[in-house]
Amino acid sequence: MNTPPSPPGVRRTAGSAVRIGALVPLTRPGWAEAGQHLLAGLELGVREVNDAGGIGGRPLELVVRDTAADPEKAAAAVDELARLGVAALAGEYHSVVARAAAARADALGLPFLCSSAVLDALTDRPTDRVARLAPAQSHGWRIYADFLLGAGHSRIAVATQPSVYWASGTRILRDHLAPHGGAVVELAMDALTPEAVCDALVDSGATALLLLVGHPDPAVPIVKAVRRDQRLAGLLIGAPAGQPEFASWAALLGADGAAIPFLRYLPERLGPLGARVGTALRERLAEAPSFVAFEGYDTIAVLAEVLRSHGTDRSRIAASWPHVAVEGTRGKIRFSRTPGISVWQWAWTPVQVVDRDPAEPDRFRILHSG
């Protein structure tokens, strides 16, 4: 996918393009809606770089590959993009897919700026080639656990599916709640129907149910079943992975999808850059941009600065992460080595716990910040 031509009246770039490989889930079983937001941010960032003269007069070009939430497909895409001569990789939303891409990129010596995946163990060993914008899962999900404790919830049920990402989230919650007398009850969705989940919740004594499952299935049927069950009228439903962020959640669930707290990575108020980019993203998406769209834009902002300052040599790009200081849409972006994290990490983007307002489901309420 090539960058669209610059509109009339802007400064045009010349010369061979500087190519960036973009990994994005655009088809099922990937979360295509998140992928579309991520791609919108990446594309807007590239357009603005080129409108401003590109990279030393050379146009920036995005070469997009659909990962479809498939780790093997992502690894193959990394191989292909490396052969095509991209200077660096960007993107990816799904943590398990980003992990496969990061491992392959590291092996090939290809720098990778991961936009949105949060799994702590993005690589098996420390690497200088991979950096990440999104907060590590252990950071964000601990903030979510603090929100639960502050709201009076210490016995938590999790509806979960087999995945290293969901297993990691469950472990983070359990380890953070235990010192406060809390407990986590696991409900395995490979063995339960949504109706059986309701029965298990009644028996568990849990006051909150967290959806550690895919969207729309089985997340949407679980929410509908719980909302219909009068025995669970006082139960909090939560979705730390952010399923309610996207418009499809409200479209599928309506009022049932409100008051379900989730994590998002935005400040309480956007600064001038964030507000301007938010307006442009809204026009591009024809809906309110999610935090994932801002992550895409910030990815290009970082890579463009690195390419201008350090050139297109892959080894020099990989060596540049500790020297980054870029004003992003959500604050100043710098990378550091963080204990327990194997990649260069922005520590930290703003983290919020928010939900959709029951009185106005298109409006988000900030419930907790960390």
Side-chain angles (χ1 to χ4, degrees), residues 162-191:
S163 161
V164 64
Y165 173 64
W166 299 127
S168 172
T170 301
R171 183 174 61 254
I172 292 164
L173 292 166
R174 179 177 286 115
D175 291 348
H176 197 71
L177 292 170
H180 302 277
V184 173
V185 179
E186 292 189 53
L187 306 177
M189 291 312 302
D190 54 352

PDB file of all heavy atoms in Angstrom, residues 162-191:
ATOM      1  N   PRO A 162      -8.224 -20.002  26.276  1.00  0.00           N
ATOM      2  CA  PRO A 162      -6.802 -20.367  26.257  1.00  0.00           C
ATOM      3  C   PRO A 162      -5.987 -19.387  25.414  1.00  0.00           C
ATOM      4  O   PRO A 162      -6.264 -19.185  24.238  1.00  0.00           O
ATOM      5  CB  PRO A 162      -6.805 -21.768  25.623  1.00  0.00           C
ATOM      6  CG  PRO A 162      -8.196 -22.292  25.822  1.00  0.00           C
ATOM      7  CD  PRO A 162      -9.090 -21.091  25.751  1.00  0.00           C
ATOM      8  N   SER A 163      -5.027 -18.746  26.028  1.00  0.00           N
ATOM      9  CA  SER A 163      -4.155 -17.793  25.351  1.00  0.00           C
ATOM     10  C   SER A 163      -3.092 -17.350  26.338  1.00  0.00           C
ATOM     11  O   SER A 163      -3.389 -17.155  27.527  1.00  0.00           O
ATOM     12  CB  SER A 163      -4.944 -16.571  24.865  1.00  0.00           C
ATOM     13  OG  SER A 163      -4.088 -15.479  24.599  1.00  0.00           O
ATOM     14  N   VAL A 164      -1.876 -17.160  25.877  1.00  0.00           N
ATOM     15  CA  VAL A 164      -0.822 -16.662  26.758  1.00  0.00           C
ATOM     16  C   VAL A 164      -1.171 -15.270  27.262  1.00  0.00           C
ATOM     17  O   VAL A 164      -0.845 -14.905  28.391  1.00  0.00           O
ATOM     18  CB  VAL A 164       0.547 -16.674  26.035  1.00  0.00           C
ATOM     19  CG1 VAL A 164       0.557 -15.722  24.846  1.00  0.00           C
ATOM     20  CG2 VAL A 164       1.668 -16.330  26.993  1.00  0.00           C
ATOM     21  N   TYR A 165      -1.889 -14.497  26.446  1.00  0.00           N
ATOM     22  CA  TYR A 165      -2.280 -13.135  26.844  1.00  0.00           C
ATOM     23  C   TYR A 165      -3.300 -13.177  27.977  1.00  0.00           C
ATOM     24  O   TYR A 165      -3.150 -12.479  28.989  1.00  0.00           O
ATOM     25  CB  TYR A 165      -2.844 -12.399  25.630  1.00  0.00           C
ATOM     26  CG  TYR A 165      -3.427 -11.042  25.933  1.00  0.00           C
ATOM     27  CD1 TYR A 165      -2.632 -10.008  26.416  1.00  0.00           C
ATOM     28  CD2 TYR A 165      -4.775 -10.782  25.723  1.00  0.00           C
ATOM     29  CE1 TYR A 165      -3.163  -8.754  26.682  1.00  0.00           C
ATOM     30  CE2 TYR A 165      -5.313  -9.527  25.982  1.00  0.00           C
ATOM     31  CZ  TYR A 165      -4.509  -8.520  26.458  1.00  0.00           C
ATOM     32  OH  TYR A 165      -5.039  -7.281  26.718  1.00  0.00           O
ATOM     33  N   TRP A 166      -4.358 -13.959  27.826  1.00  0.00           N
ATOM     34  CA  TRP A 166      -5.371 -14.042  28.885  1.00  0.00           C
ATOM     35  C   TRP A 166      -4.792 -14.685  30.145  1.00  0.00           C
ATOM     36  O   TRP A 166      -5.113 -14.259  31.274  1.00  0.00           O
ATOM     37  CB  TRP A 166      -6.576 -14.834  28.412  1.00  0.00           C
ATOM     38  CG  TRP A 166      -7.287 -14.270  27.229  1.00  0.00           C
ATOM     39  CD1 TRP A 166      -7.595 -14.921  26.065  1.00  0.00           C
ATOM     40  CD2 TRP A 166      -7.810 -12.942  27.059  1.00  0.00           C
ATOM     41  NE1 TRP A 166      -8.256 -14.097  25.197  1.00  0.00           N
ATOM     42  CE2 TRP A 166      -8.405 -12.870  25.776  1.00  0.00           C
ATOM     43  CE3 TRP A 166      -7.833 -11.809  27.876  1.00  0.00           C
ATOM     44  CZ2 TRP A 166      -9.006 -11.711  25.285  1.00  0.00           C
ATOM     45  CZ3 TRP A 166      -8.429 -10.659  27.391  1.00  0.00           C
ATOM     46  CH2 TRP A 166      -9.010 -10.609  26.118  1.00  0.00           C
ATOM     47  N   ALA A 167      -3.933 -15.697  29.982  1.00  0.00           N
ATOM     48  CA  ALA A 167      -3.312 -16.336  31.146  1.00  0.00           C
ATOM     49  C   ALA A 167      -2.427 -15.341  31.892  1.00  0.00           C
ATOM     50  O   ALA A 167      -2.402 -15.304  33.131  1.00  0.00           O
ATOM     51  CB  ALA A 167      -2.507 -17.552  30.712  1.00  0.00           C
ATOM     52  N   SER A 168      -1.693 -14.528  31.150  1.00  0.00           N
ATOM     53  CA  SER A 168      -0.858 -13.509  31.778  1.00  0.00           C
ATOM     54  C   SER A 168      -1.710 -12.499  32.540  1.00  0.00           C
ATOM     55  O   SER A 168      -1.385 -12.119  33.676  1.00  0.00           O
ATOM     56  CB  SER A 168      -0.024 -12.803  30.702  1.00  0.00           C
ATOM     57  OG  SER A 168       0.659 -11.693  31.238  1.00  0.00           O
ATOM     58  N   GLY A 169      -2.819 -12.063  31.931  1.00  0.00           N
ATOM     59  CA  GLY A 169      -3.703 -11.125  32.602  1.00  0.00           C
ATOM     60  C   GLY A 169      -4.281 -11.688  33.886  1.00  0.00           C
ATOM     61  O   GLY A 169      -4.356 -10.994  34.918  1.00  0.00           O
ATOM     62  N   THR A 170      -4.694 -12.949  33.846  1.00  0.00           N
ATOM     63  CA  THR A 170      -5.234 -13.601  35.042  1.00  0.00           C
ATOM     64  C   THR A 170      -4.192 -13.645  36.152  1.00  0.00           C
ATOM     65  O   THR A 170      -4.495 -13.365  37.319  1.00  0.00           O
ATOM     66  CB  THR A 170      -5.713 -15.027  34.695  1.00  0.00           C
ATOM     67  OG1 THR A 170      -6.723 -14.956  33.673  1.00  0.00           O
ATOM     68  CG2 THR A 170      -6.273 -15.723  35.922  1.00  0.00           C
ATOM     69  N   ARG A 171      -2.961 -13.983  35.791  1.00  0.00           N
ATOM     70  CA  ARG A 171      -1.892 -14.056  36.795  1.00  0.00           C
ATOM     71  C   ARG A 171      -1.604 -12.683  37.403  1.00  0.00           C
ATOM     72  O   ARG A 171      -1.426 -12.554  38.621  1.00  0.00           O
ATOM     73  CB  ARG A 171      -0.627 -14.618  36.145  1.00  0.00           C
ATOM     74  CG  ARG A 171       0.540 -14.807  37.127  1.00  0.00           C
ATOM     75  CD  ARG A 171       1.713 -15.497  36.458  1.00  0.00           C
ATOM     76  NE  ARG A 171       2.247 -14.715  35.332  1.00  0.00           N
ATOM     77  CZ  ARG A 171       2.060 -15.031  34.048  1.00  0.00           C
ATOM     78  NH1 ARG A 171       1.368 -16.096  33.715  1.00  0.00           N
ATOM     79  NH2 ARG A 171       2.571 -14.276  33.099  1.00  0.00           N
ATOM     80  N   ILE A 172      -1.579 -11.637  36.577  1.00  0.00           N
ATOM     81  CA  ILE A 172      -1.338 -10.288  37.088  1.00  0.00           C
ATOM     82  C   ILE A 172      -2.424  -9.892  38.083  1.00  0.00           C
ATOM     83  O   ILE A 172      -2.144  -9.355  39.166  1.00  0.00           O
ATOM     84  CB  ILE A 172      -1.275  -9.287  35.920  1.00  0.00           C
ATOM     85  CG1 ILE A 172      -0.019  -9.536  35.075  1.00  0.00           C
ATOM     86  CG2 ILE A 172      -1.287  -7.845  36.431  1.00  0.00           C
ATOM     87  CD1 ILE A 172      -0.076  -8.879  33.709  1.00  0.00           C
ATOM     88  N   LEU A 173      -3.672 -10.138  37.723  1.00  0.00           N
ATOM     89  CA  LEU A 173      -4.784  -9.804  38.616  1.00  0.00           C
ATOM     90  C   LEU A 173      -4.686 -10.576  39.930  1.00  0.00           C
ATOM     91  O   LEU A 173      -4.837 -10.001  41.019  1.00  0.00           O
ATOM     92  CB  LEU A 173      -6.110 -10.105  37.925  1.00  0.00           C
ATOM     93  CG  LEU A 173      -6.470  -9.226  36.725  1.00  0.00           C
ATOM     94  CD1 LEU A 173      -7.623  -9.843  35.946  1.00  0.00           C
ATOM     95  CD2 LEU A 173      -6.816  -7.804  37.178  1.00  0.00           C
ATOM     96  N   ARG A 174      -4.443 -11.879  39.824  1.00  0.00           N
ATOM     97  CA  ARG A 174      -4.385 -12.705  41.037  1.00  0.00           C
ATOM     98  C   ARG A 174      -3.249 -12.239  41.955  1.00  0.00           C
ATOM     99  O   ARG A 174      -3.437 -12.088  43.175  1.00  0.00           O
ATOM    100  CB  ARG A 174      -4.189 -14.176  40.645  1.00  0.00           C
ATOM    101  CG  ARG A 174      -4.092 -15.108  41.862  1.00  0.00           C
ATOM    102  CD  ARG A 174      -3.975 -16.558  41.445  1.00  0.00           C
ATOM    103  NE  ARG A 174      -5.253 -17.076  40.965  1.00  0.00           N
ATOM    104  CZ  ARG A 174      -5.493 -17.478  39.726  1.00  0.00           C
ATOM    105  NH1 ARG A 174      -4.536 -17.438  38.822  1.00  0.00           N
ATOM    106  NH2 ARG A 174      -6.684 -17.945  39.394  1.00  0.00           N
ATOM    107  N   ASP A 175      -2.075 -11.991  41.379  1.00  0.00           N
ATOM    108  CA  ASP A 175      -0.923 -11.593  42.191  1.00  0.00           C
ATOM    109  C   ASP A 175      -1.137 -10.224  42.837  1.00  0.00           C
ATOM    110  O   ASP A 175      -0.658  -9.977  43.950  1.00  0.00           O
ATOM    111  CB  ASP A 175       0.345 -11.559  41.328  1.00  0.00           C
ATOM    112  CG  ASP A 175       0.804 -12.937  40.892  1.00  0.00           C
ATOM    113  OD1 ASP A 175       0.293 -13.936  41.434  1.00  0.00           O
ATOM    114  OD2 ASP A 175       1.680 -13.006  40.009  1.00  0.00           O
ATOM    115  N   HIS A 176      -1.852  -9.332  42.166  1.00  0.00           N
ATOM    116  CA  HIS A 176      -2.055  -7.991  42.712  1.00  0.00           C
ATOM    117  C   HIS A 176      -3.181  -7.962  43.749  1.00  0.00           C
ATOM    118  O   HIS A 176      -3.126  -7.178  44.709  1.00  0.00           O
ATOM    119  CB  HIS A 176      -2.376  -7.016  41.581  1.00  0.00           C
ATOM    120  CG  HIS A 176      -2.213  -5.580  41.968  1.00  0.00           C
ATOM    121  ND1 HIS A 176      -0.971  -4.999  42.189  1.00  0.00           N
ATOM    122  CD2 HIS A 176      -3.123  -4.590  42.189  1.00  0.00           C
ATOM    123  CE1 HIS A 176      -1.135  -3.724  42.519  1.00  0.00           C
ATOM    124  NE2 HIS A 176      -2.434  -3.450  42.525  1.00  0.00           N
ATOM    125  N   LEU A 177      -4.189  -8.809  43.561  1.00  0.00           N
ATOM    126  CA  LEU A 177      -5.317  -8.819  44.489  1.00  0.00           C
ATOM    127  C   LEU A 177      -5.013  -9.599  45.768  1.00  0.00           C
ATOM    128  O   LEU A 177      -5.527  -9.258  46.845  1.00  0.00           O
ATOM    129  CB  LEU A 177      -6.541  -9.429  43.800  1.00  0.00           C
ATOM    130  CG  LEU A 177      -7.161  -8.621  42.659  1.00  0.00           C
ATOM    131  CD1 LEU A 177      -8.198  -9.450  41.922  1.00  0.00           C
ATOM    132  CD2 LEU A 177      -7.784  -7.325  43.180  1.00  0.00           C
ATOM    133  N   ALA A 178      -4.182 -10.634  45.659  1.00  0.00           N
ATOM    134  CA  ALA A 178      -3.959 -11.539  46.803  1.00  0.00           C
ATOM    135  C   ALA A 178      -3.476 -10.809  48.061  1.00  0.00           C
ATOM    136  O   ALA A 178      -3.996 -11.076  49.157  1.00  0.00           O
ATOM    137  CB  ALA A 178      -2.993 -12.644  46.408  1.00  0.00           C
ATOM    138  N   PRO A 179      -2.491  -9.909  47.992  1.00  0.00           N
ATOM    139  CA  PRO A 179      -2.048  -9.230  49.224  1.00  0.00           C
ATOM    140  C   PRO A 179      -3.133  -8.389  49.887  1.00  0.00           C
ATOM    141  O   PRO A 179      -3.002  -8.021  51.061  1.00  0.00           O
ATOM    142  CB  PRO A 179      -0.896  -8.331  48.736  1.00  0.00           C
ATOM    143  CG  PRO A 179      -0.432  -8.945  47.455  1.00  0.00           C
ATOM    144  CD  PRO A 179      -1.662  -9.521  46.834  1.00  0.00           C
ATOM    145  N   HIS A 180      -4.197  -8.093  49.161  1.00  0.00           N
ATOM    146  CA  HIS A 180      -5.312  -7.308  49.693  1.00  0.00           C
ATOM    147  C   HIS A 180      -6.491  -8.202  50.094  1.00  0.00           C
ATOM    148  O   HIS A 180      -7.600  -7.706  50.318  1.00  0.00           O
ATOM    149  CB  HIS A 180      -5.778  -6.287  48.656  1.00  0.00           C
ATOM    150  CG  HIS A 180      -4.688  -5.348  48.212  1.00  0.00           C
ATOM    151  ND1 HIS A 180      -4.344  -4.224  48.929  1.00  0.00           N
ATOM    152  CD2 HIS A 180      -3.861  -5.399  47.144  1.00  0.00           C
ATOM    153  CE1 HIS A 180      -3.356  -3.599  48.312  1.00  0.00           C
ATOM    154  NE2 HIS A 180      -3.042  -4.287  47.225  1.00  0.00           N
ATOM    155  N   GLY A 181      -6.232  -9.502  50.181  1.00  0.00           N
ATOM    156  CA  GLY A 181      -7.289 -10.440  50.539  1.00  0.00           C
ATOM    157  C   GLY A 181      -8.197 -10.807  49.388  1.00  0.00           C
ATOM    158  O   GLY A 181      -9.251 -11.420  49.595  1.00  0.00           O
ATOM    159  N   GLY A 182      -7.818 -10.447  48.181  1.00  0.00           N
ATOM    160  CA  GLY A 182      -8.645 -10.739  47.020  1.00  0.00           C
ATOM    161  C   GLY A 182      -8.376 -12.118  46.442  1.00  0.00           C
ATOM    162  O   GLY A 182      -7.386 -12.782  46.777  1.00  0.00           O
ATOM    163  N   ALA A 183      -9.278 -12.545  45.552  1.00  0.00           N
ATOM    164  CA  ALA A 183      -9.145 -13.849  44.918  1.00  0.00           C
ATOM    165  C   ALA A 183      -9.727 -13.775  43.514  1.00  0.00           C
ATOM    166  O   ALA A 183     -10.613 -12.965  43.229  1.00  0.00           O
ATOM    167  CB  ALA A 183      -9.866 -14.928  45.737  1.00  0.00           C
ATOM    168  N   VAL A 184      -9.222 -14.652  42.650  1.00  0.00           N
ATOM    169  CA  VAL A 184      -9.692 -14.740  41.271  1.00  0.00           C
ATOM    170  C   VAL A 184     -10.232 -16.133  41.012  1.00  0.00           C
ATOM    171  O   VAL A 184      -9.562 -17.135  41.308  1.00  0.00           O
ATOM    172  CB  VAL A 184      -8.555 -14.421  40.277  1.00  0.00           C
ATOM    173  CG1 VAL A 184      -9.007 -14.678  38.843  1.00  0.00           C
ATOM    174  CG2 VAL A 184      -8.094 -12.981  40.443  1.00  0.00           C
ATOM    175  N   VAL A 185     -11.450 -16.221  40.499  1.00  0.00           N
ATOM    176  CA  VAL A 185     -12.087 -17.487  40.132  1.00  0.00           C
ATOM    177  C   VAL A 185     -12.107 -17.582  38.608  1.00  0.00           C
ATOM    178  O   VAL A 185     -12.653 -16.700  37.936  1.00  0.00           O
ATOM    179  CB  VAL A 185     -13.532 -17.555  40.683  1.00  0.00           C
ATOM    180  CG1 VAL A 185     -14.199 -18.866  40.274  1.00  0.00           C
ATOM    181  CG2 VAL A 185     -13.535 -17.388  42.194  1.00  0.00           C
ATOM    182  N   GLU A 186     -11.517 -18.623  38.056  1.00  0.00           N
ATOM    183  CA  GLU A 186     -11.446 -18.764  36.598  1.00  0.00           C
ATOM    184  C   GLU A 186     -12.629 -19.573  36.072  1.00  0.00           C
ATOM    185  O   GLU A 186     -12.942 -20.651  36.603  1.00  0.00           O
ATOM    186  CB  GLU A 186     -10.141 -19.446  36.191  1.00  0.00           C
ATOM    187  CG  GLU A 186      -8.902 -18.606  36.456  1.00  0.00           C
ATOM    188  CD  GLU A 186      -7.654 -19.227  35.844  1.00  0.00           C
ATOM    189  OE1 GLU A 186      -7.672 -19.528  34.633  1.00  0.00           O
ATOM    190  OE2 GLU A 186      -6.672 -19.409  36.587  1.00  0.00           O
ATOM    191  N   LEU A 187     -13.262 -19.058  35.034  1.00  0.00           N
ATOM    192  CA  LEU A 187     -14.341 -19.741  34.335  1.00  0.00           C
ATOM    193  C   LEU A 187     -13.874 -19.991  32.902  1.00  0.00           C
ATOM    194  O   LEU A 187     -13.729 -19.041  32.115  1.00  0.00           O
ATOM    195  CB  LEU A 187     -15.617 -18.889  34.351  1.00  0.00           C
ATOM    196  CG  LEU A 187     -16.110 -18.422  35.726  1.00  0.00           C
ATOM    197  CD1 LEU A 187     -17.335 -17.535  35.573  1.00  0.00           C
ATOM    198  CD2 LEU A 187     -16.408 -19.614  36.620  1.00  0.00           C
ATOM    199  N   ALA A 188     -13.613 -21.243  32.572  1.00  0.00           N
ATOM    200  CA  ALA A 188     -13.041 -21.603  31.273  1.00  0.00           C
ATOM    201  C   ALA A 188     -14.131 -21.629  30.211  1.00  0.00           C
ATOM    202  O   ALA A 188     -15.042 -22.460  30.251  1.00  0.00           O
ATOM    203  CB  ALA A 188     -12.350 -22.958  31.361  1.00  0.00           C
ATOM    204  N   MET A 189     -14.035 -20.723  29.239  1.00  0.00           N
ATOM    205  CA  MET A 189     -15.091 -20.603  28.239  1.00  0.00           C
ATOM    206  C   MET A 189     -15.042 -21.698  27.179  1.00  0.00           C
ATOM    207  O   MET A 189     -15.965 -21.801  26.371  1.00  0.00           O
ATOM    208  CB  MET A 189     -15.029 -19.230  27.583  1.00  0.00           C
ATOM    209  CG  MET A 189     -15.428 -18.095  28.516  1.00  0.00           C
ATOM    210  SD  MET A 189     -16.975 -18.397  29.411  1.00  0.00           S
ATOM    211  CE  MET A 189     -18.128 -18.636  28.067  1.00  0.00           C
ATOM    212  N   ASP A 190     -13.988 -22.506  27.167  1.00  0.00           N
ATOM    213  CA  ASP A 190     -14.002 -23.649  26.254  1.00  0.00           C
ATOM    214  C   ASP A 190     -14.881 -24.772  26.793  1.00  0.00           C
ATOM    215  O   ASP A 190     -15.143 -25.764  26.104  1.00  0.00           O
ATOM    216  CB  ASP A 190     -12.593 -24.171  25.997  1.00  0.00           C
ATOM    217  CG  ASP A 190     -11.833 -24.506  27.267  1.00  0.00           C
ATOM    218  OD1 ASP A 190     -12.327 -24.198  28.371  1.00  0.00           O
ATOM    219  OD2 ASP A 190     -10.726 -25.073  27.159  1.00  0.00           O
ATOM    220  N   ALA A 191     -15.393 -24.615  28.040  1.00  0.00           N
ATOM    221  CA  ALA A 191     -16.230 -25.653  28.638  1.00  0.00           C
ATOM    222  C   ALA A 191     -17.584 -25.141  29.098  1.00  0.00           C
ATOM    223  O   ALA A 191     -18.415 -25.923  29.558  1.00  0.00           O
ATOM    224  CB  ALA A 191     -15.498 -26.281  29.841  1.00  0.00           C
TER     225      ALA A 191
END
